[in-house]
Amino acid sequence: MSLWSSLRLSLAALVGMALWLGLGAVMVGQKALLAAFRGLEGVSLWIWALGPGQQQPELLTWLLILFILAGLLLTNLAVCTWTRLLTGPAGRSLRRYLALTMHILALVVIGLQGASFFLAAHKTQVRLLPGQTAELAGGLALRLEQVRFTSDPALLKLKYAQARRHMSRTSYNRQRNVAQVAFVRDERVLASSPLRYFEPQEQDGWRVFLVGFFQKGQDGQAAIGAVLNLVRSPLWPPFALAYLGLIAAFGLLLIWEMATARRPARA
């Protein structure tokens, strides 16, 4: 049991996950596997694994090993919580309660994150021009109504490294560049709202994020479109609450540690 709760196992699992995710980044760089990764978009991992994933053994194996490493980390955290905090040596200190709260919330966060891989669906880097739509599920679609781009359109033609240097707060105002989107079903608009950076909109469980703009065409016929990420996860509300609770517990534990460290030792 001590092996499953050891710090060495948690470090080994974390390092293994980091290296395995790095391998995944290399795999994405290969055109043959890039299409396979793209096939994960729009459907849950569970549906993909039982269907199209059967034709992609390399990607399926990579995902399986990734979940095994994540399972080791989750098991290590659960056993550590049980043996050292719940049933360990007696002691009722605020530090122990905060540490216990952190461990439990971390278990919930990791568990919900893992479950979301099987239940969530997503579409990334969806490029739409005004008037175009992206089909979602259940007859729901997202339509880009219009784009209000107040910055210099020439910035959109720069390559990634150049864009990072030139898109300063003064030259590229993220709050003033807006995409108006509408959720539509059977030609009926369910909701229409402006979409800004870091201000996602939600409808029927789908959350849409604005991640950028692009320009298509030349000179006077050029049109500016929006680049969107769309995510649907039924586990998002409890995940967000657990994650905020984890941050709060960590902050309280840090404050408690700082306060006790400054407390003078008794004679």
Side-chain angles (χ1 to χ4, degrees), residues 2 8 19 26 58 61 124 140 147 150 154 157 166 171 198 231:
S2 60
R8 291 183 178 180
L19 293 175
V26 175
E58 300 92 344
T61 302
T124 59
L140 186 68
V147 170
T150 61
K157 299 179 181 180
H166 290 85
S171 65
F198 312 114
V231 180

Side-chain angles (χ1 to χ4, degrees), residues 50-266:
L50 295 178
Q54 300 295 318
Q55 308 300 322
Q56 303 292 339
E58 300 92 344
L59 180 54
L60 197 58
T61 302
W62 179 84
L63 287 170
L64 178 61
I65 295 177
L66 179 64
F67 279 106
I68 290 175
L69 292 172
L72 285 175
L73 182 61
L74 186 63
T75 302
N76 172 261
L77 184 59
V79 175
C80 180
T81 302
W82 177 258
T83 59
R84 300 189 180 186
L85 294 174
L86 285 175
T87 61
R92 296 184 178 181
S93 66
L94 178 60
R95 183 182 186 280
R96 179 169 182 170
Y97 286 134
L98 287 174
L100 176 60
T101 302
M102 281 185 57
H103 276 69
I104 293 176
L105 288 175
L107 281 169
V108 174
V109 167
I110 295 175
L112 290 175
Q113 181 65 52
S116 69
F117 279 104
F118 292 94
L119 301 176
H122 61 276
K123 293 177 178 288
T124 59
Q125 297 294 308
V126 177
R127 300 164 69 91
L128 296 177
L129 291 170
Q132 292 182 338
T133 61
E135 299 296 329
L136 302 178
L140 186 68
L142 179 74
R143 183 170 65 207
L144 180 62
E145 302 282 88
Q146 60 178 341
V147 170
R148 186 169 73 247
F149 191 81
T150 61
S151 303
D152 184 1
L155 294 172
L156 301 177
K157 299 179 181 180
L158 300 176
K159 295 183 178 180
Y160 181 75
Q162 294 177 319
R164 287 181 60 89
R165 290 197 303 267
H166 290 85
M167 287 185 176
S168 62
R169 292 184 178 181
T170 55
S171 65
Y172 192 82
N173 192 317
R174 292 180 178 270
Q175 288 300 310
R176 295 178 62 184
N177 296 326
V178 181
Q180 184 76 22
V181 297
F183 287 94
V184 182
R185 178 180 283 120
D186 298 330
E187 300 300 325
R188 181 170 60 91
V189 176
L190 303 179
S192 179
S193 57
L195 188 64
R196 294 181 174 86
Y197 287 98
F198 312 114
E199 297 180 14
Q201 300 298 328
E202 185 172 355
Q203 180 70 34
D204 289 5
W206 282 94
R207 305 178 78 237
V208 54
F209 299 82
L210 175 65
V211 295
F213 296 90
F214 69 98
Q215 188 177 39
K216 186 174 183 179
Q218 299 291 333
D219 302 328
Q221 297 182 349
I224 295 178
V227 184
L228 312 172
N229 284 351
L230 301 104
V231 180
R232 182 184 62 182
S233 176
L235 301 178
W236 166 250
F239 173 83
L241 290 175
Y243 193 77
L244 290 174
L246 178 61
I247 294 175
F250 177 78
L252 291 174
L253 181 60
L254 182 62
I255 293 173
W256 189 89
E257 292 284 2
M258 293 174 62
T260 53
R262 295 176 180 177
R263 188 181 302 168
R266 294 181 179 180

